[in-house]
Amino acid sequence: MAQKILKKCNKCLQKYEYGKSCSCLSQHNRKMLKIKGKEDNFYSSPVWRKLRLQIIARDLKCCRRCAAMKNNLITISDTEDLEVHHIKPRSKYPELELEPTNLVTICKVCNLQLGTRETLDFKFEAKPLKGPCL
């Protein structure tokens, strides 16, 4: 039987199995968000989760940036591989955080590349959702 390799967590100093995360990691992340003044449950709220799926469906389950820049309309079936990006960031425009025309579906790579700029680097016209969105 192979012996497990253990690492010591830099934060809590407890030992955990190599290749896995320390159990305290989520606590540290929450603490850092609180220190930075960003602690909220917005992204785990039922309202956001429902709207997120509606935006992904509206945008045909594909990264709109990849589609616009690479002429590549590839549908991604696993919605966890897609992110819904706030065109105008929540930090500066909290009143737009649930506005469908301020949201666009993009992949994780594109979301990192866009960051928090207030404009898109591709042409996109957000359509309002049909019917009640929330």
Side-chain angles (χ1 to χ4, degrees), residues 56-110:
I56 290 171
R58 176 199 70 188
D59 293 343
L60 307 175
K61 293 185 178 181
C62 71
C63 174
R64 304 314 300 172
R65 185 171 185 252
C66 288
M69 297 182 88
K70 302 172 189 170
N71 247 353
N72 187 6
L73 191 64
I74 298 175
T75 301
I76 300 174
S77 59
D78 185 0
T79 59
E80 293 305 314
D81 291 335
L82 292 169
E83 299 186 356
V84 175
H85 176 75
H86 287 87
I87 299 166
K88 301 246 185 237
R90 284 181 60 223
S91 57
K92 292 183 183 176
Y93 304 91
E95 68 278 7
L96 298 177
E97 67 185 13
L98 295 172
E99 173 55 47
T101 58
N102 186 48
L103 302 170
V104 60
T105 303
I106 55 178
C107 65
K108 293 179 183 197
V109 172
C110 287

